[in-house]
């Protein structure tokens, strides 16, 4: 008598047993195809393209799986339109299986939304139950909704132990593809896979694909600005406040993605403390908006002089951006300010057009030891700033770029356009040319000349050569410019 087929937990199941469930109709699905038969803009078409790209392009899969904390080794199988026997009413958009040693070692369910469609809590809760029933450790959603990190989830929902939720915006996945094709931060080694990635990018960027970037703030953004400027007190549970903060978070991520594509490397955004806690970030920013009428973001750009901070001031309708610079500790206030001024003059020489765009809104800010508030002045008033700093110790300097948005601050579309252009201009004209001060390498000090010491014995000469040899090895190990570079662990 033939053994009755039954599908239980996926992880640990032999792949041949899973295939048998497919053959016997217990599980229904389709293999993902790079060229789908579904019409463009359909969720299944998009799922098929993305899943095929994950299977066919090694580096794209590696970056995405790293975000999902998913096993990279083994054979990868991708499917669309998946239905499991215990949940016949739930047709899931995608399924990823990682197989090693003929067994399923890892898996993920995927739910896709295109266009203006947003994630549905009831649907997500059903898919969480599917994941729980079959021991699938993660549910991944993809839509045009933005989050600061894949570990943040756009919906508040109860998640059973052993299951993790992840979210990708389509813009984020498109940015990963652009970064891979740029060859700066990561690159695709196989030429055929490069061509496949280019075709995937063309599909995602097509106006009919169902993917889009962030192009306007939500209505609550304008409402909150009106309330603040009329003197009304904001309420924590006001839907307009929630929309304003959500809009800011989405624009924050969109700026990060735009910077990533222009730089050819991934720019990280958000608050590190709340990277895995979207609600914590929402609570923090709500408090800041209500108490101070401001909201802020930070961008971590590898190799830049510091994080790039951006803050919106609702009462004054201005945007401030700044980077922090470590000044020379061997100089006084005058020397430190002169050192920074020479760096800014160098910025003007290297990129005069971009510098001109931001120069009128440049400020220098000095944080002084034991002072609660900084001293700041416009670039042309550094001498005046110096008068306030004489005899005081500067701990750090900031270069600030501000713009008065005026009416554009409350415009849902113009605000996005101006903020994104402002960030690119400030980085291009100023930030990318700035460097922190570093102390010079120590010098060998001679205690006496050979004439003063007299002739050396052969034993002393030998000891001296040995000392030089050891010193050279020590210096080499401490100087990264002379070391053999390690492989990129990413």
């Amino acid at each position: 008598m033939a053994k009755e087929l039954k599908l239980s937990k996926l992880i640990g199941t032999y792949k041949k047993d899973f295939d048998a469930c497919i053959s016997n109709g217990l599980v229904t699905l389709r293999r993902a195809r790079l060229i789908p038969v579904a019409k463009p803009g359909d969720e299944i078409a998009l799922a098929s393209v993305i899943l095929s790209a994950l299977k066919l392009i090694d580096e794209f899969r590696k970056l995405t799986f790293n975000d999902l904390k998913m096993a990279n080794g083994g054979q990868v199988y991708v499917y669309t339109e998946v239905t499991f026997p215990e949940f016949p009413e739930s047709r899931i958009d995608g399924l990823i299986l990682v197989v090693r040693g003929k067994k399923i070692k890892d898996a993920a369910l995927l739910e896709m939304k295109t266009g203006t469609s947003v994630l549905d809590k009831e649907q997500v809760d059903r898919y969480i139950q599917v994941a729980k029933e079959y021991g699938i450790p993660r549910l991944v959603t993809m839509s045009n909704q933005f989050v600061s990190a894949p570990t943040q989830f756009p919906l508040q929902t109860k998640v059973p132990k052993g299951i993790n939720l992840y979210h990708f915006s389509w813009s984020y996945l498109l940015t990963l593809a652009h970064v891979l094709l740029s060859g700066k931060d990561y690159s695709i080694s196989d030429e055929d896979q490069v061509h496949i990635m280019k075709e995937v990018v063309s599909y995602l960027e097509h106006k009919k694909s169902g993917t889009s970037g962030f192009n306007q703030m939500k209505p609550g953004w304008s409402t909150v600005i009106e309330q603040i400027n009329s003197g009304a007190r904001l309420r924590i549970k006001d839907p307009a406040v929630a929309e304003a903060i959500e809009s800011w978070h989405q624009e924050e991520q969109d700026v990060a993605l735009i910077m990533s594509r222009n730089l050819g490397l991934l720019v990280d955004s958000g608050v590190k403390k709340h990277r895995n806690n979207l609600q914590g970030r929402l609570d923090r920013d709500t408090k800041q908006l209500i108490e101070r009428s401001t909201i802020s973001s930070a961008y971590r750009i590898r190799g830049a002089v510091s994080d790039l901070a951006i803050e919106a001031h609702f009462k004054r309708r201005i945007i401030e951006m700044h980077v922090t610079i470590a000044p020379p500790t061997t100089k006084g206030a005058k020397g430190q300010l002169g050192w920074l001024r020479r760096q800014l003059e160098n910025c003007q020489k290297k990129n005069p057009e971009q510098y001109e765009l931001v120069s009128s809104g440049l400020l220098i800010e000095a944080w002084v030891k034991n002072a609660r508030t900084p001293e700041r002045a416009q670039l042309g008033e550094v001498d005046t700033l110096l008068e306030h700093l004489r005899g005081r110790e500067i701990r750090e300097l900031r270069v600030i770029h501000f713009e008065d948005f005026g009416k554009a601050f409350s415009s849902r579309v113009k605000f996005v356009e101006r903020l994104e252009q402002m960030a690119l201009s400030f980085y291009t004209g100023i930030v990318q040319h700035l460097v922190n001060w570093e102390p010079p390498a120590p010098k060998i000090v001679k205690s006496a000349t050979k004439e003063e010491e007299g002739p050396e014995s052969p034993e002393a000469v030998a000891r001296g050569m040995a000392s030089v040899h050891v010193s050279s090895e020590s210096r080499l190990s401490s100087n990264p410019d002379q070391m053999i570079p390690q492989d990129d662990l990413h």
Side-chain angles (χ1 to χ4, degrees):
M1 183 177 178
K3 181 181 177 181
E4 182 181 357
L5 282 173
K6 185 178 180 181
L7 183 65
S8 55
K9 303 297 182 185
L10 271 187
I11 307 301
T13 296
Y14 279 99
K15 178 61 166 54
K16 64 180 179 61
D17 292 338
F18 181 73
D19 291 341
C21 291
I22 297 172
S23 299
N24 285 273
L26 283 177
V27 177
T28 62
L29 47 74
R30 294 176 183 270
R31 293 187 184 278
R33 302 294 183 190
L34 184 62
I35 304 175
V37 294
K39 65 180 181 180
D42 185 88
E43 292 169 0
I44 298 303
L46 204 48
S48 189
V49 171
I50 285 294
L51 288 171
S52 296
L54 291 174
K55 178 178 175 61
L56 297 172
I57 305 169
D58 297 337
E59 289 81 5
F60 186 56
R61 179 174 65 253
K62 181 180 178 181
L63 286 180
T64 308
F65 278 22
N66 283 347
D67 280 335
L68 299 176
K69 298 176 177 61
M70 194 166 181
N72 263 303
Q75 292 180 291
V76 177
Y77 297 86
V78 290
Y79 308 95
T80 62
E81 300 178 85
V82 184
T83 304
F84 290 95
E86 297 296 326
F87 301 88
E89 76 286 354
S90 295
R91 191 190 71 172
I92 299 169
D93 290 336
L95 172 67
I96 302 173
L97 299 180
V98 178
V99 176
R100 285 201 307 267
K102 300 181 179 180
K103 288 185 177 180
I104 299 172
K105 295 295 184 181
D106 209 348
L109 295 177
L110 290 91
E111 166 62 11
M112 318 282 192
K113 294 293 183 185
T114 61
T116 58
S117 297
V118 296
L119 299 175
D120 178 77
K121 186 179 184 301
E122 182 181 344
Q123 186 182 42
V124 168
D125 286 341
R126 287 203 314 270
Y127 292 173
I128 289 173
Q129 291 306 310
V130 175
K132 180 181 178 181
E133 175 71 21
Y134 295 104
I136 300 171
R138 61 185 61 74
L139 170 63
V140 185
T141 57
M142 300 178 184
S143 73
N144 285 315
Q145 294 166 270
F146 286 77
V147 290
S148 295
T151 48
Q152 293 182 347
F153 200 73
L155 297 176
Q156 289 295 312
T157 188
K158 189 175 180 180
V159 185
K161 185 178 180 181
I163 298 174
N164 292 295
L165 302 182
Y166 298 89
H167 179 76
F168 291 129
S169 69
W170 293 117
S171 287
Y172 178 76
L173 293 172
L174 182 58
T175 298
L176 290 184
H178 276 290
V179 168
L180 286 170
L181 291 174
S182 75
K184 293 181 181 178
D185 202 15
Y186 307 93
S187 60
I188 301 172
S189 56
D190 185 272
E191 190 65 27
D192 290 336
Q193 293 181 25
V194 170
H195 292 304
I196 294 172
M197 189 84 269
K198 288 180 178 179
E199 291 301 314
V200 172
V201 167
S202 294
Y203 185 91
L204 292 176
E205 290 183 336
H206 196 279
K207 61 182 180 180
K208 292 185 178 180
S209 68
T211 68
S212 63
F214 186 70
N215 52 30
Q216 68 174 353
M217 309 297 272
K218 294 189 174 183
W221 177 263
S222 301
T223 302
V224 164
I225 294 168
E226 291 174 4
Q227 290 175 342
I228 289 175
N229 283 276
S230 67
R233 182 172 177 79
L234 299 179
R235 293 178 290 108
I236 291 178
K237 295 186 178 180
D238 187 339
V241 172
E243 280 195 350
I245 292 171
E246 184 180 345
S247 294
W248 178 262
H249 289 177
Q250 292 184 342
E251 173 61 358
E252 170 190 279
Q253 177 65 359
D254 202 36
V255 169
L257 298 179
I258 290 170
M259 297 282 286
S260 297
R261 294 177 198 177
N262 280 273
L263 293 171
L265 55 84
L266 291 174
V267 173
D268 194 15
S269 68
V271 181
K272 288 184 178 180
K273 179 181 177 181
H274 300 302
R275 184 174 180 82
N276 300 329
N277 181 8
L278 179 58
Q279 188 58 48
R281 173 79 191 281
L282 291 170
D283 293 342
R284 166 193 175 273
D285 289 346
T286 299
K287 182 179 179 181
Q288 180 182 343
L289 180 58
I290 290 175
E291 294 181 356
R292 295 169 45 197
S293 298
T294 65
I295 192 168
S296 57
S297 296
Y299 299 83
R300 290 167 290 282
I301 306 170
R302 188 155 22 97
V305 66
S306 76
D307 287 356
L308 170 63
I310 299 180
E311 188 168 39
H313 297 258
F314 283 70
K315 288 183 177 178
R316 293 186 289 161
R317 301 194 182 203
I318 67 169
I319 294 291
E320 279 195 7
M321 303 180 177
H322 77 258
V323 287
T324 302
I325 304 174
T329 57
T330 56
K331 297 178 181 290
K334 182 177 181 180
Q336 290 173 326
L337 291 175
W339 171 83
L340 179 56
R341 183 155 49 183
R342 286 190 295 275
Q343 283 209 56
L344 293 173
E345 289 171 354
N346 184 51
C347 294
Q348 184 177 15
K349 291 176 183 177
K350 289 191 172 183
N351 203 327
E353 291 182 2
Q354 288 296 328
Y355 183 87
E356 184 65 26
L357 289 175
V358 300
S359 60
S360 61
L362 286 182
L363 300 173
I364 293 179
E365 186 174 79
W367 286 80
V368 181
K369 184 178 180 180
N370 298 327
R372 292 187 176 182
T373 57
E375 300 282 352
R376 62 164 59 177
Q378 288 188 320
L379 189 57
E381 300 174 353
V382 174
D383 292 338
T384 303
L385 178 62
L386 181 60
E387 292 297 321
H388 294 279
L389 298 175
R390 290 192 184 279
R392 304 168 74 185
E393 182 182 341
I394 297 177
R395 304 302 297 269
E396 66 179 35
L397 292 168
R398 288 181 177 175
V399 177
I400 299 172
H401 173 41
F402 76 93
E403 278 191 23
D404 184 345
F405 275 36
K407 293 182 179 180
F409 197 93
S410 56
S411 170
R412 294 164 55 198
V413 175
K414 290 181 180 178
F415 179 85
V416 172
E417 293 173 350
R418 282 195 62 174
L419 180 61
E420 291 173 358
Q421 184 56 56
M422 181 181 174
L424 284 174
S425 296
F426 182 46
Y427 187 88
T428 306
I430 303 294
V431 179
Q432 67 181 356
H433 304 304
L434 297 177
V435 295
N436 287 311
W437 178 81
E438 292 184 2
K443 302 293 191 298
I444 295 176
V445 179
K446 294 182 179 180
S447 58
T449 64
K450 287 189 176 183
E451 288 75 10
E452 293 171 335
E453 292 179 345
E456 292 185 86
S457 66
E459 292 81 3
V461 173
R463 287 195 301 272
M465 292 298 292
S467 174
V468 171
H469 178 67
V470 171
S471 176
S472 298
E473 287 186 344
S474 174
R475 180 68 177 274
L476 179 60
S477 66
S478 65
N479 188 345
D481 292 335
Q482 296 179 7
M483 294 177 68
I484 298 174
Q486 296 181 4
D487 292 335
D488 188 345
L489 296 180
H490 298 289

